[in-house]
Amino acid sequence: MTHALPQTHWVNATTPIAVPPGMRHAVIFGKSDDEGWVDTLASLTTRGNYGPRVTELARDETPETIFATDEQLATAARYEQNIRELIEWSKRDTH
């Protein structure tokens, strides 16, 4: 099944991405051929000085539609869970 997601961010001002409903960290990238891939906001924003630049969609911009498969949403959910676990782990870390 394919799901239509509204764009929430831009990567390098050219590539639309969406944060799936109920998630805060996982993202689905949109591509012109209706194929997408999965990543995380944390990964995108921590790739060094020359990594991608992620910006939120401006209020006056019309979001693009990004299509995601069940498999991509399942991958995003795993990424989201992993990040939640890392956040919880870091809160407990006493170093």
Side-chain angles (χ1 to χ4, degrees):
M1 178 180 227
T2 302
H3 306 269
L5 306 174
Q7 174 190 3
T8 58
H9 294 74
W10 288 106
V11 175
N12 293 336
T14 58
T15 303
I17 61 175
V19 176
M23 299 184 198
R24 294 180 55 201
H25 307 285
V27 297
I28 307 284
F29 282 76
K31 292 176 68 175
S32 60
D33 58 3
D34 290 342
E35 291 181 17
W37 66 99
V38 183
D39 208 328
T40 66
L41 287 175
S43 176
L44 289 172
T45 57
T46 57
R47 289 194 178 145
N49 295 333
Y50 302 103
R53 187 172 56 92
V54 179
T55 54
E56 289 189 34
L57 191 68
R59 290 179 190 243
D60 62 343
E61 288 183 277
T62 302
E64 294 188 27
T65 300
I66 296 171
F67 297 97
T69 64
D70 287 337
E71 182 180 358
Q72 289 166 330
L73 288 178
T75 299
R78 285 194 303 275
Y79 285 9
E80 186 75 14
Q81 181 62 36
N82 289 343
I83 289 177
R84 284 189 193 131
E85 289 172 3
L86 285 170
I87 290 170
E88 287 303 313
W89 177 81
S90 68
K91 287 179 182 176
R92 293 189 305 260
D93 189 12
T94 57
H95 292 19

